[in-house]
Each structure stands twice: as C-alpha cells, then as structure tokens.
Amino acid sequence: MTPARKAAPAENARTPKPTTAKGGNERLTLPDEATLRELGRRLTLSTGQLHCLRLTLQHVHADLTAHQADKVHSERAETVRRLKLVEKDLARLVDTCTRHAAYLDSFPHDFLAAAGGMLTFAAMNDALGRNLTPRRANFIMQERIAAGDISSIDEIETLTLQHRELTGVKHGAEILPAIIKRLHAPLKTWVDLDKLNKGGRKRNLARHYLVMRLAQAAPEIIGSKAGRSQTGPFVRLCEAVLLPCGIEPTGVEKLVPRIVAPASTKARG
C-alpha cells in the first residue's frame, strides 16, 4: 500500500512563492496583516517595532514600483547622468543647511518671507510635523468662506500670503532644510536603486534594496544597528522577512556584510 502524502504546513498558505523576474530583479509582495503579526511574534517585536517594519516594507514596495515604472529614464544615459548631478547638488545643499543651521534664522527677512510665501501652510505643517497655521489666518478664512466671499484658490492664496510670509520669517530656519530634504529624498531613492541595478553580475534588485532599507531601519525595528554577523539579529530579521515578501532568503547572510559595510564606512567618514 502506498503511504499517504503528508499535508503541507498551514503557514505556507500565506507565504508567497519566491519568483524571479527577467534580469534577476525579484518582485516584492507586501505581506498581509496576519503574516505581519506572525512575523512580529516570531521576532518578538513590540507594537511600535512592528509598525516600523510595516512602514519600511510599504516604502520599499512603493519605491520599487515607481522605479519599475520609470524604465524610460533607466534607458536614457544622459537623463540619468543629469538626474544624478541634481541629486548630488541637493545632497550638498542638505549638508550645507545642516552645517549652518544655527545661522539660517539670521538670513535676510525678504529671503525667509519669500520662502514662506511660496509654500502652503499644509506643506509647512507636513514638513515640520506640527501645526504652524496662525489662528488669526484660520479665523479670517472661516469668516470669508461663511460669507461666501471666496470663489477661487487664487483668492485663498492672496488672503493668506502675508501670514505665510510671516511664518517663513519666524520658522524659515526649520522650514527650508525640511523642504530641501523632502525634495532630495525621492531623487536619492532613485539613485540608490539605479546603483543596485547596474554593474557586473545581474543583481536581485528587490532583494538588495529591501536588505538595504531594513539595515537603515534596524534601530527602530530590532532595537540595534544592523550588524554584519552572519548569525546576528539583523540577519535573522532579513531571513524572516524576505520569504513572506516573495523573495528568496537563501544566502542572505552572505549579502548582509556587502550591504552593511559600506554604510558603516560612510558613517565613519
């Protein structure tokens, strides 16, 4: 009598099968909430740590999707070259703002006012993570809207211009660096992905980028910086996360030192 086949483990039902697209670039699948909670239990993550892991995976998925959709740029060498030059200049500007942060509020008032005037309160609030909208401006807008005096966006911008300029003068030293960093971030993401997708043997782009972003977020996810040890907590994190994302985890312990080491060297410089 032929022995009966053993049933596959139930946990495999939720785990996407690793797939490799043409060129060695694996696709990343976002794990569902039940799988994420199971990951949290296996890795003994707190609610906050699991939330950080969830956000990291969402950002990686969004970045890879956007990069995949931007193949036109990837195939145009001159456009790529120019984009990288702009990214370098913005990175220098971010560094300059950081180094001279203590002096930014001493810049000419016209300069700071113009910066505030070009932004909406929503943009300023979002950049700094707190509400800078003056109560007086809110009160005036509510009165004018209730009276039916406002009929266009242009009128709203004109009515709030003076308040936005004053906010720029008062908080410009914080607003300017935050806005520049916000502009720089998507360009840096694109350049990082382009670097991973070029040179020598074809790399698994999704695999490399996911490990790189997990390394950056490691202090918030596992409570310590990403280590190079092939049996350390960071490698265990990667091994646990890759398969539920549909990415082959075999050999990730050899990949980690190649990704973590350059970041550590750069940080020391």
Side-chain angles (χ1 to χ4, degrees):
M1 179 180 292
T2 304
R5 283 188 177 182
K6 291 184 179 179
E11 63 180 8
N12 289 344
R14 287 200 195 101
T15 303
K17 184 178 179 181
T19 57
T20 304
K22 186 178 180 181
N25 293 337
E26 296 174 340
R27 298 178 181 275
L28 184 143
T29 303
L30 281 177
D32 60 26
E33 193 58 33
T35 303
L36 277 173
R37 287 197 296 270
E38 177 60 27
L39 275 174
R41 284 192 290 271
R42 286 172 54 195
L43 295 166
T44 63
L45 302 181
S46 68
T47 301
Q49 289 172 319
L50 181 60
H51 179 63
C52 184
L53 174 60
R54 182 185 295 107
L55 289 179
T56 300
L57 295 181
Q58 289 172 352
H59 291 163
V60 169
H61 184 266
D63 291 343
L64 289 169
T65 300
H67 189 265
Q68 182 70 16
D70 200 21
K71 283 185 176 179
V72 173
H73 280 182
S74 301
E75 295 166 2
R76 293 170 58 186
E78 183 60 19
T79 301
V80 171
R81 186 179 75 84
R82 301 278 179 162
L83 186 148
K84 289 181 177 179
L85 289 174
V86 172
E87 187 275 329
K88 282 185 179 180
D89 286 341
L90 273 176
R92 291 191 191 101
L93 188 54
V94 169
D95 180 63
T96 298
C97 287
T98 301
R99 287 188 290 110
H100 303 296
Y103 300 93
L104 291 180
D105 58 359
S106 299
F107 277 28
H109 280 199
D110 288 351
F111 175 85
L112 297 173
M118 286 188 290
L119 298 169
T120 63
F121 281 121
M124 289 187 274
N125 295 341
D126 185 52
L128 297 186
R130 66 180 192 271
N131 188 5
L132 299 180
T133 308
R135 290 182 181 179
R136 178 63 181 165
N138 258 336
F139 180 73
I140 291 173
M141 291 304 304
Q142 289 170 2
E143 279 193 327
R144 298 295 294 271
I145 291 172
D149 293 340
I150 295 176
S151 59
S152 69
I153 295 293
D154 289 342
E155 290 181 34
I156 294 175
E157 292 180 348
T158 300
L159 284 170
T160 60
L161 177 60
Q162 184 179 10
H163 296 282
R164 287 183 283 121
E165 288 178 339
L166 289 173
T167 303
V169 171
K170 187 175 181 180
H171 298 283
E174 297 176 90
I175 294 170
L176 281 172
I179 293 297
I180 294 168
K181 286 179 182 178
R182 184 66 59 87
L183 291 172
H184 175 243
L187 286 184
K188 186 178 186 305
T189 293
W190 196 98
V191 169
D192 286 343
L193 283 167
D194 190 68
K195 287 178 181 176
L196 290 176
N197 206 24
K198 284 186 176 180
R201 186 178 60 184
K202 282 289 183 182
R203 294 173 171 177
N204 292 326
L205 176 60
R207 176 181 164 105
H208 276 70
Y209 188 60
L210 176 55
V211 172
M212 185 176 76
R213 291 297 297 268
L214 286 173
Q216 293 169 355
E220 289 75 34
I221 297 175
I222 58 174
S224 61
K225 291 183 179 179
R228 300 181 64 196
S229 169
Q230 295 190 6
T231 57
F234 179 63
V235 165
R236 291 198 295 272
L237 170 69
C238 293
E239 289 173 338
V241 169
L242 262 60
L243 189 59
C245 290
I247 297 176
E248 177 57 56
T250 304
V252 71
E253 74 282 356
K254 296 177 181 178
L255 172 63
V256 164
R258 300 204 302 270
I259 289 179
V260 173
S264 301
T265 302
K266 185 176 180 180
R268 288 195 298 269

